[in-house]
Amino acid sequence: MAPQPQVPYDTWSISEKDALNVAEATLRYQFEQADKSREVRKKKWLVLVFGDSASPEFLSRFSDRTNLIEEVGDEELTPSKIALFAIQHAKRIDATTISVTTSTIGVDPSEDRPVQADLVAVLKDGQWKVDPSQPSQQ
């Protein structure tokens, strides 16, 4: 039997609403980190969410971000011109904790290939936030 592809998130334990809210929280955290680099701030940013281009509805959550692009057009798709932020997979750890696998390209100037990271989002006061002090449990 052939191995099955990894599902984007556990639909039996994570609702679509929670998955998108966790994706938003994770991207906000990544954007804050990327904002520390003047070089990365100058680039156009492209977002993929669970293997798909982010919808205009999802991107509207980031209306304060003027460098986000909704779709790839004539832009040069090189890490020197575009920063790619991808939310790949989410896995529920417990009722208030979800582990998220991400990938970025063009965000770390010292890397010329995709950089994968596992982050942990925690539900606090009704909102999902990335807690960088929590170890990932993917």
Side-chain angles (χ1 to χ4, degrees):
M1 183 159 34
Q4 297 298 310
Q6 187 176 34
V7 295
Y9 58 91
D10 305 326
T11 56
W12 54 92
S13 67
I14 302 174
S15 68
E16 181 178 10
K17 178 182 175 186
D18 277 348
L20 292 175
N21 288 340
V22 166
E24 177 186 356
T26 304
L27 287 164
R28 287 194 182 281
Y29 174 79
Q30 289 182 305
F31 293 168
E32 287 173 14
Q33 302 308 305
D35 276 340
K36 295 176 183 176
S37 167
R38 185 178 348 184
E39 183 180 315
V40 177
R41 284 194 313 260
K42 291 179 183 178
K43 297 178 181 185
K44 293 291 185 184
W45 292 2
L46 181 62
V47 173
L48 299 177
V49 180
F50 300 118
D52 225 343
S53 296
S55 69
E57 294 81 20
F58 182 79
L59 288 177
S60 71
R61 298 175 183 222
F62 304 99
S63 59
D64 58 320
R65 296 278 169 185
T66 58
N67 56 344
L68 284 179
I69 56 176
E70 285 190 29
E71 59 186 55
V72 177
D74 295 331
E75 291 87 2
E76 185 181 338
L77 293 178
T78 64
S80 65
K81 302 285 183 190
I82 290 190
L84 173 70
F85 298 84
I87 304 297
Q88 295 180 316
H89 178 74
K91 179 182 177 188
R92 184 171 295 281
I93 304 304
D94 60 37
T96 60
T97 310
I98 294 179
S99 183
V100 183
T101 301
T102 68
S103 181
T104 58
I105 299 173
V107 175
D108 183 347
S110 66
E111 290 287 339
D112 60 354
R113 57 183 178 189
V115 176
Q116 195 166 6
D118 291 321
L119 300 171
V120 175
V122 177
L123 184 62
K124 289 183 183 176
D125 300 323
Q127 288 201 341
W128 290 98
K129 297 222 184 262
V130 168
D131 183 349
S133 68
Q134 292 235 7
S136 175
Q137 301 176 21
Q138 278 286 348

